[in-house]
């Protein structure tokens, strides 16, 4: 099968925002790891929802409610198929990755006891550290950290040593948001399962680049945010194996999640509704499905190939700048480049790049432990998507050079 | 000079520049003349919260006037705090509290006034005014 290369210029026409100017310059949007842009096809789905079939779902007998329910449940099935989950009720809609992680952390508070251990990787986003710290405070379980090396790769020998019969849970991001490292998740899962521990992977940064297969990975929980993959903000999913989701108690009480309610006792609804209290982000869920359709039409293989080219092009162009250092040099990486220039604060570079119309992230990227590891206050992070071009990389490189001249 | 006069002077200086690059370069220059905080005061307690780069500010009373010193890791931020200190230092707490800061807009740094902006210009102004409140109470 021959794959045609991506037609970037046609693809870019799908994203209206890419035509705008910032500070009088054409926008160069390189903050995709924070949030991706939305194609017209997804925007149309959102507009269509509110213009023609907005209704509350799952309980109305009227036509609009049924249309909305059908569209929402079809989106769940699209998501199931995309991530190859065994069953659609293993896909729980949430407000995003942070919500999904908190749902699992809360559920585990009834399953853990004092002295149990939770492993987290050294390169986690704060949203994947804080809920576990809170869980440990509640249960008396102990949080242990899988270390990383100078390239920003997990030290797998140390991971193996940390695993013990006390380990109940392992939490790790599939891809690091600050460094772009793709973690060896197959090995992490396999080793954890040998000792009977569950594994949650934070897939927020992986899902826009890698089509993860839940059954093949044999992962217990996986979390995704729609807004990082061409969908809207405020919606995401938790994938959980049926057996695990059945073990966890409900997270929030409310409508939708009940089977029967009396003042004496409430019985909970079956999966997935047990975890979906209240009126969900209906439009968001439907639009998430549309975003997956959009990305799948382009094809994840083609996306990965093109993004890899962009990463290599940008890495070598940036490294030609004197005194520039890249943090996160793992062999397996997505299109994230975190860098600093010696003697210049990342914030200063970010301000100058913004004046040039270039959007990057500066700061600690909600991953302070990583910054402490490298003994830096933060980095400049350029993160690319399949709609970025080599010309935009050139604009970035020229912008960084200009900032360097002004600031050094 | 009154705060208003100093602010007018700064606005006049910035009006000489045609584009943002020159304005930023000038701001960076102003940062170099910032009265630096003494090492003993460069503590975590004196860091202004809400800034992406660390900013330290110290205030001392000289008879009835406040004298500010500061520093920052980032040179654009250093320029911004230098501009603020130039207007507020050696002024009475009362005048500092009553002073407006609209001139920031006039010198083309409006984007730094947005509360979402990570450099925390708003936090800096708030902190300088907090010192003024504290010393005003002391003077009474």
């Amino acid at each position: 099968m021959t794959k045609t290369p991506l037609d970037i210029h046609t693809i870019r026409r799908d994203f209206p925002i890419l035509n705008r100017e910032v500070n009088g310059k054409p926008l160069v949007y390189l903050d995709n790891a924070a949030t991706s842009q939305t194609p017209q096809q997804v925007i149309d789905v959102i507009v269509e929802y509110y213009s023609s079939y907005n209704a509350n779902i799952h309980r109305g007998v009227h036509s609009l409610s049924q249309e909305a329910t059908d569209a929402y449940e079809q989106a769940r099935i699209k998501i199931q198929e995309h991530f190859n989950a065994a069953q659609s009720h293993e896909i729980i809609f949430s407000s995003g990755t942070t919500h999904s992680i908190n749902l699992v952390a809360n559920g585990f508070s009834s399953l853990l006891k004092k002295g149990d251990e939770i492993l987290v990787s050294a390169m986690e986003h704060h949203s994947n550290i804080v809920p576990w710290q809170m869980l440990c405070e509640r249960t008396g379980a102990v949080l242990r950290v899988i270390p990383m090396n100078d390239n920003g790769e997990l030290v797998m020998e140390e991971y193996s040593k940390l695993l013990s019969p006390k380990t109940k849970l392992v939490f790790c991001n599939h891809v690091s948001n600050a460094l772009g490292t793709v973690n060896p998740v197959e090995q992490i899962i396999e080793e954890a399962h040998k000792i009977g521990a569950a594994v949650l992977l934070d897939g927020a940064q992986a899902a826009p680049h890698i089509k993860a297969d839940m059954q093949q990975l044999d992962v217990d929980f996986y979390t995704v945010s729609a807004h990082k993959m061409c969908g809207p903000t405020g919606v995401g999913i938790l994938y959980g194996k049926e057996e695990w989701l059945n073990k966890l108690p409900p997270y929030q009480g409310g409508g939708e999640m009940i089977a029967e309610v009396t003042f004496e006792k409430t019985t909970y609804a079956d999966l997935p509704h047990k975890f979906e209290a209240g009126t969900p982000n209906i439009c968001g869920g439907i639009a998430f499905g549309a975003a997956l359709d959009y990305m799948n039409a382009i094809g994840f293989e083609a996306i990965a190939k093109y993004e890899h080219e962009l990463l290599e092009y940008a890495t070598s162009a940036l490294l030609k700048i004197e005194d520039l250092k890249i943090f996160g040099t793992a062999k397996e990486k997505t299109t994230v480049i975190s860098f600093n220039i010696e003697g210049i604060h990342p914030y200063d570079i970010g301000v100058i790049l913004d004046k040039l119309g270039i959007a990057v992230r500066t700061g600690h990227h909600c991953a302070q432990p990583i910054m402490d590891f490298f003994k830096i206050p933060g980095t400049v992070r350029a993160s690319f998507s399949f709609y970025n071009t080599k010309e935009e990389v050139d604009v970035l490189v020229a912008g960084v050079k200009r900032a360097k001249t002004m600031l050094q | 000079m009154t705060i208003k006069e100093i602010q007018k002077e700064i606005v006049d200086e910035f009006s000489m520049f045609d584009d943002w690059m020159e304005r930023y370069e000038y701001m960076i220059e102003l940062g170099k003349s910032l009265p630096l905080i003494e090492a003993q005061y460069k503590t975590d307690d004196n860091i202004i919260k809400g800034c992406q780069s660390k900013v330290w500010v110290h205030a001392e009373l000289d008879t009835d006037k406040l004298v500010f010193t500061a520093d920052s890791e980032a040179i654009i931020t250093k320029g911004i705090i230098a501009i603020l200190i130039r207007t507020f230092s050696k002024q009475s707490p009362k005048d500092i509290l009553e002073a407006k800061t609209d001139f920031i807009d006039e010198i083309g740094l409006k984007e730094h006034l947005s509360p979402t902006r990570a450099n925390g210009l708003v936090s800096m102004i708030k902190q300088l005014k907090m010192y003024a409140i504290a010393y005003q109470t002391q003077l009474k």
Side-chain angles (χ1 to χ4, degrees):
Chain A
M1 197 168 63
T2 53
K3 285 271 171 192
T4 48
L6 297 192
D7 180 358
I8 304 306
H9 295 284
T10 307
I11 287 173
R12 285 179 70 83
R13 282 204 286 273
D14 293 336
F15 293 82
I17 205 170
L18 298 179
N19 292 321
R20 70 162 283 183
E21 290 191 344
V22 168
N23 292 321
K25 305 274 183 340
L27 167 67
V28 173
Y29 186 77
L30 303 178
D31 194 18
N32 293 287
T35 200
S36 59
Q37 295 304 343
T38 318
Q40 191 62 48
Q41 289 85 336
V42 174
I43 297 170
D44 288 345
V45 167
I46 295 168
V47 172
E48 195 204 347
Y49 172 80
Y50 282 111
S51 351
S52 56
Y53 62 100
N54 174 34
N56 211 333
I57 53 169
H58 293 145
R59 45 190 156 225
V61 291
H62 60 82
S63 300
L64 285 193
S65 174
Q66 286 181 11
E67 279 177 38
T69 304
D70 286 349
Y72 190 66
E73 290 306 322
Q74 272 165 20
R76 194 191 305 273
I77 289 166
K78 273 181 201 171
I79 296 165
Q80 175 206 352
E81 287 170 353
H82 178 82
F83 291 103
N84 194 28
Q87 298 173 88
S88 65
H89 61 247
E90 292 176 323
I91 303 294
I92 310 294
F93 278 113
S94 69
S95 69
T97 301
T98 299
H99 177 202
S100 300
I101 293 169
N102 275 283
L103 191 161
V104 178
N106 182 74
F108 264 89
S109 52
S110 63
L111 303 177
L112 292 179
K113 57 180 192 310
K114 200 166 182 261
D116 284 344
E117 291 185 354
I118 301 172
L119 302 189
V120 296
S121 90
M123 59 178 90
E124 292 310 306
H125 187 277
H126 293 165
S127 68
N128 213 0
I129 300 173
V130 182
W132 311 122
Q133 284 173 334
M134 290 164 68
L135 174 60
C136 287
E137 277 170 24
R138 283 199 298 270
T139 60
V142 180
L143 196 67
R144 309 199 72 179
V145 181
I146 311 161
M148 67 174 184
N149 65 23
D150 291 343
N151 294 326
E153 295 166 315
L154 292 178
V155 184
M156 292 305 283
E157 301 77 42
E158 292 301 317
Y159 169 63
S160 306
K161 281 185 211 158
L162 282 168
L163 285 170
S164 81
K166 287 186 206 161
T167 315
K168 295 293 179 274
L169 287 160
V170 177
F171 301 99
C172 181
N173 47 34
H174 190 168
V175 168
S176 154
N177 74 306
L179 304 174
T181 310
V182 181
N183 284 314
V185 292
E186 291 84 358
Q187 192 187 341
I188 288 170
I189 294 164
E190 198 188 325
E191 290 191 27
H193 282 176
K194 273 186 195 151
I195 53 120
V199 177
L200 182 146
L201 293 181
D202 171 359
Q205 294 295 334
H209 312 285
I210 299 165
K211 196 168 175 168
D213 182 321
M214 297 301 105
Q215 295 185 73
Q216 198 186 334
L217 277 175
D218 195 28
V219 66
D220 304 291
F221 300 100
Y222 197 85
T223 61
V224 178
S225 289
H227 73 93
K228 304 222 193 256
M229 45 191 318
C230 300
T233 54
V235 67
I237 57 130
L238 166 69
Y239 159 81
K241 275 186 191 162
E242 183 182 36
E243 53 168 309
W244 273 113
L245 292 176
N246 281 331
K247 269 186 224 171
L248 299 186
Y251 178 42
Q252 290 173 318
E256 292 260 355
M257 53 76 74
I258 44 86
E260 267 184 89
V261 177
T262 65
F263 280 108
E264 286 72 39
K265 190 176 165 53
T266 293
T267 52
Y268 302 122
D270 291 334
L271 292 174
H273 308 295
K274 176 175 129 182
F275 294 109
E276 294 181 354
T279 299
N281 184 347
I282 304 165
C283 178
I286 296 167
F288 186 10
L292 289 179
D293 284 345
Y294 179 81
M295 290 190 75
N296 279 312
I298 296 170
F300 275 75
E301 261 180 61
I303 287 173
K305 186 170 176 289
Y306 175 70
E307 287 183 343
H308 186 72
E309 265 174 49
L310 264 188
L311 175 69
E312 297 220 311
Y313 182 77
T315 304
S316 75
L318 283 168
L319 282 175
K320 286 195 187 105
I321 299 173
E322 209 181 329
D323 300 329
L324 185 144
K325 187 177 175 196
I326 291 178
F327 296 89
T329 47
K331 277 185 212 87
E332 293 288 324
K333 260 185 85 169
T334 57
T335 42
V336 167
I337 303 181
S338 248
F339 65 91
N340 273 337
I341 294 176
E342 210 187 309
I344 304 181
H345 196 278
Y347 170 77
D348 286 327
I349 298 174
V351 171
I352 301 297
L353 291 180
D354 175 58
K355 291 303 250 179
L356 297 168
I358 306 164
V360 293
R361 201 67 182 280
T362 62
H364 53 58
H365 317 299
C366 297
Q368 273 175 355
I370 299 182
M371 303 303 135
D372 293 344
F373 176 85
F374 288 115
K375 298 185 177 64
I376 49 175
T379 67
V380 180
R381 183 188 70 183
S383 52
F384 305 87
S385 180
F386 59 87
Y387 46 68
N388 289 124
T389 63
K390 286 185 183 170
E391 290 75 25
E392 288 181 308
V393 173
D394 296 340
V395 174
L396 169 71
V397 172
V400 173
K401 282 182 184 162
R402 196 159 164 191
K404 186 174 179 253
T405 314
M406 274 182 83
L407 299 165
Q408 226 169 19
Chain B
M1 271 167 97
T2 66
I3 293 179
K4 229 176 168 174
E5 282 163 356
I6 298 169
Q7 291 183 345
K8 169 132 195 332
E9 189 182 66
I10 296 171
V11 171
D12 288 345
E13 288 167 17
F14 272 86
S15 69
M16 293 186 298
F17 306 115
D18 298 330
D19 68 359
W20 70 269
M21 253 187 94
E22 289 177 344
R23 281 200 298 275
Y24 271 69
E25 275 164 353
Y26 186 59
M27 191 158 63
I28 291 166
E29 275 307 306
L30 291 179
K32 290 176 187 162
S33 61
L34 171 72
L36 283 180
I37 188 168
E38 282 178 48
Q40 56 171 324
Y41 299 123
K42 223 171 161 177
T43 58
D44 286 356
D45 287 345
N46 285 332
I47 290 177
I48 298 179
K49 304 269 184 308
C51 305
Q52 209 180 76
S53 57
K54 282 184 186 161
V55 185
W56 299 265
V57 172
H58 174 67
E60 263 174 19
L61 205 55
D62 180 5
T63 326
D64 57 350
K65 303 275 200 287
L66 268 185
V67 177
F68 292 104
T69 53
D71 200 3
S72 171
E73 294 174 319
I75 64 173
I76 290 173
T77 315
K78 210 166 158 176
I80 292 170
I81 192 82
I83 291 169
L84 287 178
I85 284 185
R86 186 167 144 201
T87 62
F88 286 162
S89 214
K90 297 172 192 145
Q91 302 289 341
S92 72
K94 182 174 172 289
D95 289 344
I96 294 170
L97 284 172
E98 285 170 0
K100 289 187 175 165
T101 47
D102 309 354
F103 78 109
I104 295 288
D105 193 350
E106 288 179 55
I107 60 177
L109 298 175
K110 192 182 175 186
E111 68 260 30
H112 293 278
L113 282 174
S114 148
T116 60
R117 193 78 192 197
N119 77 11
L121 175 56
V122 176
S123 314
M124 290 182 211
I125 294 170
K126 201 169 136 197
Q127 189 61 37
L128 298 179
K129 294 209 170 198
M130 289 295 280
Y131 275 118
I133 292 175
Y135 281 103
Q136 194 183 34
T137 319
Q138 201 177 311
L139 280 172
K140 279 176 187 165

